[in-house]
Amino acid sequence: MDLVPALEEPLRQPLKSVLGPATAKVMAEHLGLLTVGDLLHHYPRRYEERGQLTHLADLPMDEHVTVVAQVADARLHTFASAKAPRGKGQRLEVTITDGSGRLQLVFFGAGVHKPHKELLPGTRAMFAGKVSVFNRRLQLAHPAYELLRGDPEESVETWAGALIPIYPATAKLESWKIGKAIQTVLPTAQEAVDPLPDTLREGRGLVPLPEALLKIHRPHTKADIEDARSRLKWDEAFVLQVALARRRHADAQLPAVPRKPAPEGLLTAFDARLPFTLTDGQQRVSREIFDDLATDHPMHRLLQGEVGSGKTMVALRAMLAVVDAGGQAAMLAPTEVLAQQHHRSVVEMMGELAEGGMLGGAEQATKVVLLTGSMGAVARRHALLDLTTGEAGIVIGTHALIEDKVQFHDLGLVVVDEQHRFGVEQRDALRGKGKQPPHLLVMTATPIPRTVAMTVFGDLETSVLDQLPAGRSPIASHVVPAADKPHFLSRAWERVREEVENGHQAYVVCPRIGDEEDDPKKSGKKKSPEDEAEKRPPLAVLDVADQLTKGPLQGLRVEVLHGRMHPDDKDAVMRRFAAGETHVLVATTVIEVGVNVPNATAMVIMDADRFGVSQLHQLRGRVGRGSAPGLCLLVTEMPEASPARQRLGAVASTLDGFELSRIDLEQRREGDVLGQAQSGARTSLKVLAVIEDEEIIAEAREEATAVVANDPELTHLPALRTALDALLDDEREQYLEKG
């Protein structure tokens, strides 16, 4: 963020290395740290006091953790095994405690000698390793450790009160080794150039950047940590918001063709044939979109809404308005299944208005074409011709729309569905097909808290649909603890049969396909006995479908759907399910977005703990789409007290996607949500938490907008310009476009 020569110095270089070559190599490969500046910006995740110990009771499963604890006891066991048949195998079991809980450490074979000598009862140390479960107890197998010994010169109080930084680490490089490396380069922090304008920093009482870096890595008190974090949060929020403000500013300078719907045109005819009235939310958001379309610079709007809130209807009306005004509209969908589904539903909703140039087509009609990679050559040629001549007002397609061969007569609007599935090049390639930049509407069905939207989609205006259309039924959700209560799972299959007997259909969702390519047994990776005991592979579509057909759902028509099927086969399966010919569809998450079968009322999600909160909410939105109430059963083998079960409980307890996305964020932090927006950016969010720090983000946005309005090129703020270049070199301009 502050990259000046001293801080740009590589950690690893042939002649003089700042760190040892092996350490520098691990830092580059596993932590993405290449320069002294990168290392200084690798902040501690938390701090431990030597006198106080960490919470063993709250350890996350499957993560690499560092804990500070005291040895309670250590026992050496001998056993017989294939390698040591005469009972000469050795296993050291060490129990550590912190007052809140206990944790077992396990060492095997020759690895027992050193810890057996050093880890005596009463010893305090830092331990690092991956948390696993063995015999239903948490353990660390072969952890690395560093004994905590007081300096003879230090008083007991000073030693016990010292703050130990715990860094984000990897299995190959423990926290304390990273700490030592940072202490080596810490003097260069004095040369860090401050990206915050002086007036802003002083006005908000923030410490200078060099001081913040010293205090975050070598704090004497908790107040030091607080000062440093407050300052560094502002850096992250402000530099990111300046980048977004500059993008908004640049977009506002682009010319676009205003698109106003004709008074008695296609849109009016479409509205007249709707069998229902639009919700207040749909009308409000449509007005916002029509106002943007009427301006002479491109619309950049994010339309987000609950599953089933009617986003497609709003997008279709926007497309019809543009066709009315003489332009064309393109909708980009992430999968062929979804593109075909959108095409079918748009043609159905429009009726004779989608039959432009055909017998029986209405006077104001246009043509709606589909363009996907797997189409036959003849159908594809026709579709391309209709786009070039302008005969087709609306095209719905996948990445195939982006190819060079695709030419438009006059592209006026691009609608991107499920934005997070598309990279920036794809979005720009489609926008580049307009004679002038087309208007852009981005849709997402993953509800995003306001601050995430401001951080990730800060270059887009946001419209929110938070009201469900009339006639939508409530969805009841329940957790099914298959391990604790197997009879609950049997009852789940009975419920599926009952739904089918009542004339309805059901989905069963699994995390994995189960064919050769994704079979972990075939992957050649050897797992440790601990891993084997800890985790079976996720349930797979092909296996579960087979078991259900022969077992609890015998006699019902069960079909499978997954991403590796041929597109024609996928389409045929979806058509049969939509027509009610199939009772139960066993699928992967290919059904997560856009699939609309109102007669499907039940969903059973197997290994539900393997999915994210937002994904579960999305999946659940596939049921309850008709007049009959929906049922979603979340099947898991995780124990009741586990964080995974708490997550599932949260999903079962509310249908409010915005509330769930907040819970999800608080549990997972932003990394996953910001997804590729963060990848490759050296200074991705480290101390800024988009939920906790709402106020900072909102204030930083205001400050950034003012700075950019006064000085769009940042001519008078060279240090900020440098920080921006570190965040966004040419390749990283993508960062803002939410790949």
Side-chain angles (χ1 to χ4, degrees):
M1 223 183 234
D2 40 67
L3 303 183
V4 296
L7 276 71
E8 277 178 356
E9 204 170 306
L11 294 172
R12 182 184 177 200
Q13 51 191 355
L15 298 174
K16 103 179 164 55
S17 214
V18 176
L19 303 175
T23 305
K25 183 170 187 258
V26 173
M27 283 190 173
E29 289 175 6
H30 294 270
L31 295 168
L33 306 175
L34 305 173
T35 66
V36 170
D38 292 345
L39 184 53
L40 286 176
H41 285 299
H42 188 72
Y43 309 132
R45 176 177 284 161
R46 58 190 169 81
Y47 301 84
E48 294 292 359
E49 285 181 68
R50 282 184 174 136
Q52 289 180 344
L53 299 173
T54 186
H55 279 287
L56 293 182
D58 302 333
L59 289 181
M61 278 292 298
D62 258 358
E63 281 191 26
H64 206 273
V65 300
T66 301
V67 297
V68 177
Q70 184 166 326
V71 177
D73 71 41
R75 295 173 188 205
L76 192 61
H77 301 272
T78 53
F79 60 92
S81 69
K83 287 184 181 169
R86 294 201 186 88
K88 293 203 175 151
Q90 290 193 311
R91 182 174 76 246
L92 176 66
E93 289 178 4
V94 178
T95 305
I96 58 173
T97 179
D98 66 347
S100 78
R102 294 165 86 80
L103 179 67
Q104 191 165 51
L105 316 177
V106 191
F107 301 87
F108 292 98
V112 305
H113 304 307
K114 185 167 178 273
H116 189 217
K117 279 203 294 253
E118 293 183 336
L119 297 180
L120 304 171
T123 306
R124 289 189 175 196
M126 284 194 280
F127 302 93
K130 191 174 174 187
V131 183
S132 59
V133 170
F134 188 72
N135 285 343
R136 299 183 77 88
R137 287 168 68 192
L138 291 181
Q139 73 166 24
L140 294 181
H142 281 285
Y145 63 88
E146 174 95 332
L147 301 179
L148 292 176
R149 300 185 175 97
D151 185 316
E153 303 296 306
E154 278 181 314
S155 72
V156 174
E157 286 76 18
T158 317
W159 183 84
L163 292 162
I164 305 169
I166 305 292
Y167 289 92
T170 74
K172 293 202 171 358
L173 196 63
E174 293 85 19
S175 168
W176 51 88
K177 289 183 183 165
I178 295 170
K180 283 174 185 167
I182 286 172
Q183 294 304 325
T184 307
V185 300
L186 202 49
T188 54
Q190 294 301 339
E191 299 181 45
V193 178
D194 203 320
L196 292 191
D198 291 346
T199 48
L200 189 159
R201 186 172 58 71
E202 288 158 13
R204 295 191 176 272
L206 300 168
V207 301
L209 181 59
E211 187 183 328
L213 290 171
L214 285 171
K215 283 183 167 177
I216 197 108
H217 291 298
R218 197 187 279 162
H220 295 298
T221 62
K222 288 180 179 169
D224 283 354
I225 299 169
E226 212 39 59
D227 285 351
R229 288 179 67 82
S230 301
R231 163 59 214 247
L232 296 168
K233 282 181 180 192
W234 255 96
D235 274 20
E236 288 184 2
F238 181 69
V239 176
L240 179 57
Q241 291 301 337
V242 166
L244 292 166
R246 290 186 75 217
R247 179 158 207 106
R248 283 196 303 279
H249 185 271
D251 284 341
Q253 313 307 309
L254 293 172
V257 179
R259 309 280 179 174
K260 292 179 183 170
E264 292 299 319
L266 185 55
L267 180 62
T268 311
F270 175 75
D271 284 350
R273 55 169 285 133
L274 280 179
F276 52 81
T277 49
L278 298 173
T279 65
D280 294 345
Q282 286 174 316
Q283 290 178 4
R284 172 179 46 78
V285 169
S286 288
R287 279 195 300 276
E288 291 170 356
I289 291 170
F290 291 158
D291 288 347
D292 282 1
L293 290 174
T295 61
D296 56 8
H297 58 84
M299 166 173 82
H300 285 93
R301 189 165 281 279
L302 170 69
L303 171 58
Q304 60 161 329
E306 280 291 7
V307 179
S309 58
K311 290 183 299 299
T312 309
M313 173 61 71
V314 169
L316 175 55
R317 292 184 75 242
M319 293 196 287
L320 296 175
V322 169
V323 175
D324 251 356
Q328 291 169 292
M331 181 185 252
L332 190 58
T335 64
E336 295 210 351
V337 168
L338 194 49
Q340 287 159 342
Q341 178 106 17
H342 276 319
H343 182 255
R344 269 201 297 276
S345 61
V346 165
V347 169
E348 276 167 28
M349 284 194 274
M350 287 176 65
E352 72 271 12
L353 295 174
E355 294 170 2
M358 292 186 253
L359 270 175
E363 190 187 337
Q364 305 96 326
T366 186
K367 213 181 236 186
V368 180
V369 299
L370 175 70
L371 192 64
T372 64
S374 65
M375 280 169 77
V378 178
R380 188 182 178 78
R381 205 161 45 244
H382 282 308
L384 291 173
L385 189 63
D386 285 341
L387 288 179
T388 310
T389 60
E391 183 110 352
I394 294 177
V395 59
I396 295 168
T398 54
H399 297 76
L401 278 177
I402 295 163
E403 290 171 10
D404 292 342
K405 291 193 204 79
V406 181
Q407 300 294 325
F408 288 86
H409 177 64
D410 179 15
L411 180 62
L413 170 67
V414 173
V415 178
V416 181
D417 191 20
E418 286 307 312
Q419 154 70 3
H420 58 279
R421 312 264 180 119
F422 290 99
V424 56
E425 301 91 342
Q426 296 158 327
R427 201 164 103 175
D428 276 350
L430 193 47
R431 278 160 63 177
K433 292 184 180 291
K435 294 186 175 112
Q436 281 194 311
H439 298 282
L440 174 72
L441 181 65
V442 167
M443 298 199 297
T444 177
T446 308
I448 307 170
R450 176 175 150 271
T451 42
V452 182
M454 274 168 43
T455 308
V456 179
F457 296 106
D459 59 331
L460 303 176
E461 296 301 321
T462 305
S463 294
V464 176
L465 275 176
D466 49 11
Q467 191 181 2
L468 292 188
R472 280 293 163 92
S473 303
I475 304 169
S477 305
H478 303 285
V479 178
V480 177
D484 307 348
K485 298 176 179 169
H487 59 286
F488 276 34
L489 184 57
S490 311
R491 176 70 190 121
W493 302 127
E494 284 170 25
R495 283 292 286 115
V496 170
R497 290 196 87 97
E498 286 163 18
E499 290 298 313
V500 172
E501 281 158 18
N502 291 331
H504 299 303
Q505 294 156 276
Y507 299 99
V508 176
V509 182
C510 305
R512 205 164 57 91
I513 297 171
D515 54 9
E516 293 298 303
E517 285 181 58
D518 70 350
D519 187 340
K521 292 193 197 88
K522 309 273 190 300
S523 70
K525 276 176 89 173
K526 283 197 75 175
K527 290 197 165 185
S528 69
E530 288 83 27
D531 280 352
E532 289 297 343
E534 174 196 333
K535 233 177 191 181
R536 59 165 174 72
L539 291 170
V541 165
L542 302 178
D543 303 339
V544 168
D546 187 48
Q547 289 160 15
L548 292 177
T549 315
K550 293 172 180 165
L553 302 186
Q554 198 168 2
L556 301 187
R557 287 192 295 282
V558 177
E559 287 208 70
V560 300
L561 180 71
H562 59 75
R564 281 210 279 271
M565 289 165 64
H566 187 278
D568 291 349
D569 296 339
K570 278 193 273 196
D571 196 37
V573 168
M574 273 316 303
R575 280 178 187 276
R576 285 195 292 275
F577 190 65
E581 295 166 24
T582 306
H583 294 136
V584 179
L585 188 62
V586 182
T588 56
T589 53
V590 290
I591 62 152
E592 180 185 346
V593 286
V595 173
N596 184 23
V597 180
N599 192 45
T601 54
M603 175 177 285
V604 181
I605 303 179
M606 307 304 291
D607 279 344
D609 48 275
R610 312 266 178 138
F611 298 97
V613 168
S614 297
Q615 202 171 26
L616 292 169
H617 182 60
Q618 281 275 66
L619 287 165
R620 169 172 64 183
R622 302 301 113 213
V623 296
R625 298 176 80 84
S627 53
L631 172 69
C632 178
L633 301 173
L634 306 166
V635 179
T636 177
E637 291 186 356
M638 294 305 278
E640 195 165 356
S642 62
R645 272 285 282 281
Q646 288 161 10
R647 252 195 358 256
L648 297 181
V651 174
S653 68
T654 178
L655 291 172
D656 180 340
F658 287 91
E659 177 57 29
L660 283 175
S661 64
R662 286 185 78 91
I663 292 169
D664 196 17
L665 259 178
E666 281 161 0
Q667 289 196 341
R668 290 190 302 154
R669 284 293 306 249
E670 301 57 50
D672 295 353
V673 176
L674 300 187
Q676 283 169 283
Q678 292 296 338
S679 72
R682 245 173 305 188
T683 46
S684 60
L685 300 192
K686 297 192 177 95
V687 286
L688 193 71
V690 292
I691 290 292
E692 282 168 38
D693 299 323
E694 283 185 82
E695 279 178 33
I696 293 178
I697 291 166
E699 288 169 18
R701 183 182 170 111
E702 277 176 37
E703 295 269 13
T705 307
V707 164
V708 171
N710 289 331
D711 183 4
E713 294 305 311
L714 308 179
T715 316
H716 304 297
L717 295 165
L720 176 56
R721 182 77 242 197
T722 304
L724 206 57
D725 292 342
L727 178 73
L728 302 172
D729 57 23
D730 292 343
E731 290 159 40
R732 293 192 194 116
E733 277 293 341
Q734 303 173 20
Y735 173 95
L736 296 180
E737 290 268 0
K738 182 75 173 81

